[in-house]
Amino acid sequence: MLFEALTLQLGYNATLVAIGAMLLGISAGATGTFLFLRKRALVSDAISHATLPGIGLAFIVMVWLGMDGRSLPGLLIGSALSAWIGLLCVQWLTGGTRLSEDSAIGAVLSVFFGAGIVLLTVIQGMSAGRQAGLDSLLLGSTAGMLFSDAVLIAGGGALVLMLTLLLRRPMSLVAFDSDFAAASGLNVPRIDLATMGLVLAVTVVGLKIVGLILIVALLIIPPVTARFWTERTEHVWLIAGALGGASGYIGAAISASAPALPTGPIIVLVAFAFFAVSLLFSPARGVLSSVLRHRQYQRRVHLRQGLLALAQGQPIYEGYTLRLLQREGLARPDGVATGDGQARAAKALLDEKRWEILRGLQAHEATAARYDGLTGLETILTEDQLRDLDTRIAAPREIAP
């Protein structure tokens, strides 16, 4: 069943949902990257919760005008207007008062969401609102999605993605250094507003599939996951878009293969699975690689200290150090150095003396700062510099009177 869903063989509606979710995930991952790099991830939470009163008001207005209150385009327009007002409130509170951004976000989020819940309660008391199903927009629902709804979601996601591609360079510059961007002639407030507008568009478009509560996860988790794999901005948003698209597609396929499972939460769980794998296994920042690097560094320190102890004829009391030396064939079980161990120990002691002199030479201060004390000095010094240090080691020292 899952294979058929992944290969788009479960019918027309399931195919539309999967493609729409994939485009939504790509646009959410790419757009959320710049929000994440700008360190304004909580703004997306305020925007998403601010859509709820707009949904309720749009339903009431459409019913009052004799229209179908569940019309998705009308609900999206209402949610967009409400979210935009919420975003302007956050910006006004941040810039016009002494409130910090997180306090402004908390205030706007709670007030707008509370107003939305009140409106939903009122709607449930209306004769036209008892079967409205607006609560499905909280967590997303693809059951009974129409062709026009799927096209609207897919088209909206594609449009947001295209705008993100066009604005990626100024948004990247503002995200990393807003002062330099302003000095370069960029209008930083306008670019910030454009970024928030794209986030708002993704939030509104994703209401039907992911829901206003979980859309925040689709905006933030893919960029955070991508950050584990690269240091370059252009790679971060590409990977984030790919992860977001894969999360949307796989999550929609899993939901289609098991109809009892809601689409939005499954998409978020798939995105979290990508995050968990990256957290554990990414080569540069993963937990496993960090543990391995720490173990390797610990091994080098113990080996170095063991060699210095052998060179100076000192006993080795640390069991791990002695085991390392034995494993490398540098010492016998009784702690006596082998032939190779004596050579390596003499080299380690020589490097230690060279480093001691190097640290006292002002001309080599920068070079000494780069040396980690564990590798051979020939990796950072030339042969002439090494010969000069060896000459200083052999030179007799003056005896203080």
Side-chain angles (χ1 to χ4, degrees), residues 5 15 33 42 53 71 95 112 146 153-154 156 175 178 181 217 298 317 326-327 341 357 375 378 393 400:
T15 300
T33 297
L42 280 178
S71 172
F112 273 70
L146 302 175
I153 293 171
S178 58
Q298 184 182 42
Y317 298 105
Q326 289 181 248
R327 197 179 305 159
I357 295 176
T375 56
E378 61 273 6
I393 293 174

Side-chain angles (χ1 to χ4, degrees), residues 18 30 58-59 83 103 112 121 140 175 197 232 263 272 281 283-284 288 327 333 349 359 393:
F59 179 86
S103 300
F112 273 70
T121 304
R232 301 178 63 86
T263 305
F272 176 76
F281 301 110
L288 182 60
R327 197 179 305 159
L349 185 60
R359 285 180 295 176
I393 293 174

